[in-house]
Amino acid sequence: MKRFSFLTILAVFVITAQAQKFSGKVVNHEKGEMDVVLTMFGLEKLVKIGTLSADGTLEIDLSDDPTGILTNEEREFYIDRLVYGFQYVCGNPDDFPEGEPKIARDAGFIALWANNQWSGSLFPVTDEKLKLWMEDDGYNDAVEASFYKVLLVTEDVELKKQCNNYDYYNEKDVEVNLDYDIRLKKGLNLVEYQIQSVFKTNPDVRASFPEKVKMTNPVENPPIIWMASYFW
């Protein structure tokens, strides 16, 4: 995807009592009213999950199941195996067998939509440095902190699994340890990716990268910071 030069706005995000509803304040927001959407079904079938008001008030609701807007053909195209819903996957194919049903879809970027166009993105993190890493992990170091993504599943899932994969650095494979400990409800879910350990690299070769990651449910009132980047 094309990279953009971003104006970064920092927001502290407060979780409401309802597990799938979130509210917060994007400080110094001067871009007017925007919708908060997911583009996982393409730009012709945006999934609206909230609003960002002109004064920076952010409201997000993940309680609806968006699969009802799909035709049978679209459902077959967009919904895939659970393994492809996560940013990190096990290296051994037997951990997620090919015969598993198609039940998941990674929601991708959380987009800001205004004037009938994709106008920016939101990056939920617990450390500001992770936003830079999420935008370009080749040049920006990962840090021991959490980032969050939205995952759609078409049935309830409880996943407890530990495995490993490998990343390549300095002409050798570096083991990456993965831990899945998560309960997913049918519909949209917020997934926390805890980077628990970082492999330090020579920055002239590539940026430091995660070597231990846990995928889990966010705790109650997690210390999420929302970083907003705008395209104009």
Side-chain angles (χ1 to χ4, degrees), residues 82 86 104 151-153 155-159 182-187 189-191 216-217:
L82 181 62
F86 294 102
L151 173 62
L152 169 68
V153 290
E155 60 184 57
D156 293 346
V157 176
E158 182 173 353
L159 183 62
I182 191 167
R183 291 178 176 84
L184 304 168
K185 68 168 185 64
K186 180 181 178 182
N189 297 263
L190 191 66
V191 176
T216 189
N217 299 94

Side-chain angles (χ1 to χ4, degrees), residues 128-213:
E128 298 173 39
K129 295 177 182 177
L130 271 189
K131 173 187 175 290
L132 298 175
W133 172 80
M134 292 174 73
E135 291 176 323
D136 190 338
D137 60 7
Y139 289 94
N140 299 300
D141 291 334
V143 295
E144 293 181 8
S146 292
F147 66 96
Y148 301 77
K149 297 186 69 176
V150 177
L151 173 62
L152 169 68
V153 290
T154 59
E155 60 184 57
D156 293 346
V157 176
E158 182 173 353
L159 183 62
K160 288 182 175 290
K161 186 187 300 290
Q162 293 181 333
C163 63
N164 59 60
N165 207 326
Y166 296 89
D167 208 329
Y168 191 72
Y169 170 70
N170 203 21
E171 299 184 351
K172 67 178 182 180
D173 289 327
V174 177
E175 186 173 88
V176 178
N177 297 308
L178 304 177
D179 183 2
Y180 303 83
D181 186 3
I182 191 167
R183 291 178 176 84
L184 304 168
K185 68 168 185 64
K186 180 181 178 182
L188 298 172
N189 297 263
L190 191 66
V191 176
E192 179 178 1
Y193 288 78
Q194 298 175 359
I195 301 178
Q196 299 179 331
S197 179
V198 173
F199 186 87
K200 299 298 183 181
T201 64
N202 178 349
D204 292 332
V205 178
R206 64 167 292 188
S208 299
F209 56 87
E211 65 174 349
K212 185 176 182 181
V213 181

